[in-house]
Amino acid sequence: MFDTRPDRGSEAVLVGRSNVGKSTLMRELTGHTFDTGRNPGVTRSPNHYDWAPEDFVITDLPGYGFMSGVPEERREEIKTGIVRYLEDNAEKILVAIHVVDGKSVVDIIDRHSGGEEIPYDVELFHFLRELDIPTVVAVNKMDKVDDRDERLDAICDRLGLLPPWKQWQETVAPISAKRGQLDPLEKAVRTHLHDQERDDLFTFF
């Protein structure tokens, strides 16, 4: 299910929970609509947008975490597949876009914090960094958030980034994918591409 990757030397990946707007963001970035199914958890394999003849692909990985009506075993399969995909392709991934829901991510993280449990969103963020994959947290649905700066500061705090959020603009990008408001994300992604001497890929972001 996860072995569909085109043979490309460079890649950007979108990761995140189900229902955070990854597919909408993918559509905004590529101009291409992907059939993801109506129910969360239906998409169990990556969606790739392949720019032949460019040696570059954007990949939308399946959503992880709780999904209504999806058995725990299946959720764990998906999570394991995502982890292995990232590990196997880490050297080719120029940037990871970790999409979170600006309205709910702090509550979700807090609900799963404590004891031995590490919230998925926090775990994934640190896992990407351990793999040395440049990561941008795309905080989506910000058009529905009133306390913008406070919310972004809280997200930074939960991820182990010392607030205020504005000092992390290469890492934290407030967006509204549905409204096409992606400027902070595009600037952050371009910073990471530039650092890797891949300004040639700016046309995609």
Side-chain angles (χ1 to χ4, degrees), residues 112-140:
H112 293 278
S113 294
E116 298 295 314
E117 191 174 18
I118 301 174
Y120 278 170
D121 296 286
V122 176
E123 185 179 30
L124 178 61
F125 176 71
H126 289 287
F127 178 63
L128 288 164
R129 296 183 79 162
E130 285 168 15
L131 292 175
D132 289 325
I133 297 174
T135 302
V136 180
V137 180
V139 186
N140 196 21

Side-chain angles (χ1 to χ4, degrees), residues 17-182:
R17 286 182 173 274
S18 296
N19 295 335
V20 295
K22 283 192 299 90
S23 297
T24 303
L25 177 56
M26 185 75 161
R27 186 179 68 236
E28 287 295 321
L29 288 173
T30 65
H32 186 78
T33 300
F34 291 85
D35 182 14
T36 55
R38 293 183 181 179
N39 301 313
V42 170
T43 305
R44 296 178 62 185
S45 57
N47 282 317
H48 303 281
Y49 193 77
D50 186 15
W51 275 276
E54 297 286 350
D55 189 24
F56 176 66
V57 62
I58 292 186
T59 299
D60 178 15
L61 290 169
Y64 61 83
F66 176 76
M67 292 167 263
S68 179
V70 179
E72 176 69 23
E73 181 182 341
R74 191 176 188 185
R75 296 201 300 264
E76 286 302 316
E77 275 179 20
I78 293 169
K79 188 182 172 192
T80 299
I82 292 168
V83 167
R84 286 180 179 160
Y85 187 95
L86 293 170
E87 287 177 334
D88 291 347
N89 298 295
E91 291 184 4
K92 297 177 180 178
I93 298 173
L94 301 176
V95 62
I97 300 170
H98 180 184
V99 188
V100 301
D101 184 331
K103 282 180 61 184
S104 63
V105 66
V106 172
D107 290 339
I108 291 171
I109 289 173
D110 289 351
R111 196 180 313 142
H112 293 278
S113 294
E116 298 295 314
E117 191 174 18
I118 301 174
Y120 278 170
D121 296 286
V122 176
E123 185 179 30
L124 178 61
F125 176 71
H126 289 287
F127 178 63
L128 288 164
R129 296 183 79 162
E130 285 168 15
L131 292 175
D132 289 325
I133 297 174
T135 302
V136 180
V137 180
V139 186
N140 196 21
K141 307 183 184 180
M142 286 303 291
D143 54 303
K144 299 179 180 178
V145 172
D146 295 327
D147 53 342
R148 178 185 173 88
D149 287 339
E150 292 86 345
R151 185 69 56 92
L152 293 167
D153 284 350
I155 291 169
C156 283
D157 177 66
R158 303 309 190 273
L159 295 176
L161 305 172
L162 188 67
W165 76 272
K166 287 185 178 177
Q167 65 182 330
W168 299 104
Q169 291 187 51
E170 294 173 12
T171 307
V172 176
I175 65 168
S176 173
K178 191 172 277 189
R179 294 192 176 192
Q181 296 169 352
L182 306 182

